[in-house]
Amino acid sequence: MLAGRKTLLIVTGGIAAFKAIDLIRLIKKAGGEVQPILTQSAQEFVTPLTAGTLAGNAALSELFDLTRESEIGHIELVRDADLVVVAPCTANFMAKMAHGLADDLASTAILARDKHVIVAPAMNVKMWEAAPTQRNLATLIDDGMQIVGPDDGEMACGEFGPGRMAEPDTIFAAIEDYFQATDDTLPLAGKRILVTSGATREPLDPVRYLTNASSGKQGTAIAAALRAAGADVEFITGVAEVPPPNGVNVTNITTAQDMYDAVHEALPCDVAIFCAAVSDWRPRQAGTEKIKKKGDGEAPSLEMVLNPDILKSVAALDPSERPELVIGFAAETENVIEHAKAKRERKGCDWLLANDVSAGTGTFGGDSNSIIFFDDQGHEVWPRMSKQEVGMALTDRIASALNSQK
């Protein structure tokens, strides 16, 4: 996947710089090319000889290298690369990137970039949590940079918390995902696909809420399979037991109304897949204070109202705005085929994937799923398979449907 792809790897000064060596090895093993740039501080932890030898390209550090600058070297570096990765990225270098400073080769290359940038922050937990760092982080995200990590864990200084650089294999996975998604030979390259996932929560009062047992595993597996097939994925997720896949654009929501708003804001798209377990109802009025027991032991009554129907609202859009494929999910506990068929007709979606989530099936929260697939031709029963396999099977069917319309 990385054959013929060139990564410009900027290593900044921090104890995590030693992990950059493993990252170089992973990229090279996958057939990719690496051009290292080491800041002056990085060279306190990793020598240019070590990085350059493993990369097969001399590690660079000097902005005013007369040989390279005769060819406008700092511009040539980023134009020649397919991707820029900063790992580790210190708090100081984050600040430089956020404010457009360019006082060395690394920061000048970033300012002159015309390529995607993946940033792997690494710093003390207090530095990471500091308000200026968080402001700089928000700026980098707004500028379109992709952030990987940091992880929670013990620091070299002995403190514990977020700030550890993501492991090299995690950063490498993000690099692979990026190149995979930009490969125009992949079946869903150039397609924008929206996926909802996870569970919504409807507040009853400041400490209680209505929700369900969805783990988010199926929606996450679908998004990962779509990304692997080259799609640009908008991933709108409620509460989930698993993290979002690498390389997707994530929007976190809490309530059904939040999800409705996020979905319509994310349109237009080529395909919309509604895998989230959305609460059908919410309290008409959530309490502003914790609801207390009554003295007589009587339970409080709650007046419920319907939440907006996200799937139906998208399926009913004007053809000029409606996705080519609108795909729903139906979690049923009885009469699965009958109820799912009626739901598809009621919602107006093109496809519907139904599953039995009754007690004992292990579907909610489990790693496998049994799907009954509905479309205009009727329904078909898929064999029980892992949720990753369901994601790949659905992705293959989507690719076939979209490509058949060309």
Side-chain angles (χ1 to χ4, degrees), residues 363-378:
T363 299
F364 257 172
D367 295 322
S368 61
N369 207 346
S370 293
I371 295 293
I372 304 176
F373 177 89
F374 292 80
D375 64 7
D376 287 339
Q377 307 304 312

Side-chain angles (χ1 to χ4, degrees), residues 218-377:
Q218 187 61 84
T220 299
I222 290 169
L226 293 167
R227 177 67 172 168
D232 177 11
V233 179
E234 290 288 332
F235 189 67
I236 300 174
T237 181
V239 179
E241 295 178 8
V242 293
N246 287 322
V248 302
N249 184 36
V250 181
T251 301
N252 292 292
I253 60 87
T254 301
T255 68
Q257 185 65 56
D258 293 339
M259 183 166 280
Y260 178 94
D261 294 340
V263 164
H264 283 272
E265 185 175 341
L267 296 174
C269 61
D270 298 290
V271 180
I273 304 171
F274 297 95
C275 191
V278 181
S279 177
D280 292 324
W281 309 281
R282 69 179 187 276
R284 181 177 292 279
Q285 184 67 48
T288 57
E289 302 291 340
K290 180 182 176 182
I291 301 171
K292 298 290 187 180
K293 284 184 180 178
K294 295 183 179 180
D296 57 7
E298 182 182 348
S301 60
L302 292 172
E303 184 181 0
M304 308 295 285
V305 296
L306 283 172
N307 272 321
D309 192 322
I310 303 171
L311 171 59
K312 188 174 182 178
S313 70
V314 173
L317 288 171
D318 184 89
S320 63
E321 300 176 341
R322 186 186 190 275
E324 293 180 53
L325 281 175
V326 177
I327 303 168
F329 271 71
E332 304 291 349
T333 58
E334 60 179 351
N335 301 323
V336 176
I337 292 177
E338 177 184 342
H339 288 167
K341 182 179 179 181
K343 179 175 180 177
R344 178 176 173 268
E345 294 174 355
R346 187 171 66 251
K347 302 290 187 178
C349 56
D350 302 298
W351 299 350
L352 187 133
L353 282 70
N355 50 17
D356 186 345
V357 297
S358 57
T361 63
T363 299
F364 257 172
D367 295 322
S368 61
N369 207 346
S370 293
I371 295 293
I372 304 176
F373 177 89
F374 292 80
D375 64 7
D376 287 339
Q377 307 304 312

